[in-house]
Every structure is written in C-alpha cells, then in structure tokens.
Amino acid sequence: MFKKLKITCDEATTICDKNQYGEATILELLKLNIHFIRCRICSLYTKQNIKMTKIYKGHSKTCKQVTHCMTTQDKENLKKALEETSI
C-alpha cells in the first residue's frame, strides 16, 4: 500500500507546480507531503517556488499599472523604417 504513495523527486516537483495553480488532487498532495518527510531538497524547492511566485505576483501588479504606449512620432518613424526596409 505504501509503495503507491512513494513518488520520485521529478514527480514531486511536478505536483508542487500543479499545486501552485490549484490543479493538484488531494492524493497528489498526500504523496507530496509523504515525499517531504524523506526528501529535504524537494521541500526546499517547494518553499523557494512559493516565494518566487509571491515576488512575481507582486511585481506583475505594479507592471499592470504602467501603460506602455508609443508616441505618435515614434509610430511614424517606425512606419518609415519599415517602408524603407521593404523596398
């Protein structure tokens, strides 16, 4: 029975990634937590993965507030440059 709950480190990282997006099942999470008992590296990977996700989510919120637009003059210059290279 316990052999069914054993997973490799590759499977553990896959489950960790799925869990971040809410796609991991309860059985997968159980297998992952059992794997953490014997594998500290995967446990560290999960902690780092969670921390990076929080950092990126915080950064993406500030990026969404900034509008990235070209000025009319820049658009005209780009059109001219594209017309010159296509000739």
Side-chain angles (χ1 to χ4, degrees):
M1 174 174 168
F2 289 112
K3 287 187 178 185
K4 292 181 181 180
L5 297 177
K6 278 190 164 185
I7 57 174
T8 65
C9 290
D10 286 336
E11 292 170 325
T13 55
T14 301
I15 294 169
C16 171
D17 295 339
K18 285 173 64 175
N19 187 36
Q20 280 193 289
Y21 300 105
E23 298 174 355
T25 64
I26 294 173
L27 180 59
E28 288 175 329
L29 293 175
L30 177 66
K31 289 178 182 181
L32 183 63
N33 286 316
I34 289 172
H35 183 79
F36 287 160
I37 293 170
R38 62 181 176 88
C39 183
R40 297 290 172 216
I41 295 171
C42 288
S43 178
L44 179 62
Y45 171 82
T46 300
K47 288 177 186 175
Q48 290 174 342
N49 207 6
I50 291 168
K51 194 177 290 186
M52 285 177 57
T53 299
K54 287 180 182 179
I55 291 169
Y56 286 130
K57 281 185 180 179
H59 181 68
S60 70
K61 287 179 184 176
T62 59
C63 284
K64 289 178 182 176
Q65 295 171 352
V66 177
T67 307
H68 303 280
C69 295
M70 292 178 70
T71 63
T72 307
Q73 183 62 40
D74 289 339
K75 289 178 184 179
E76 291 299 322
N77 291 340
L78 184 59
K79 283 180 185 178
K80 288 177 185 176
L82 288 171
E83 287 173 358
E84 288 174 4
T85 58
S86 66
I87 294 176

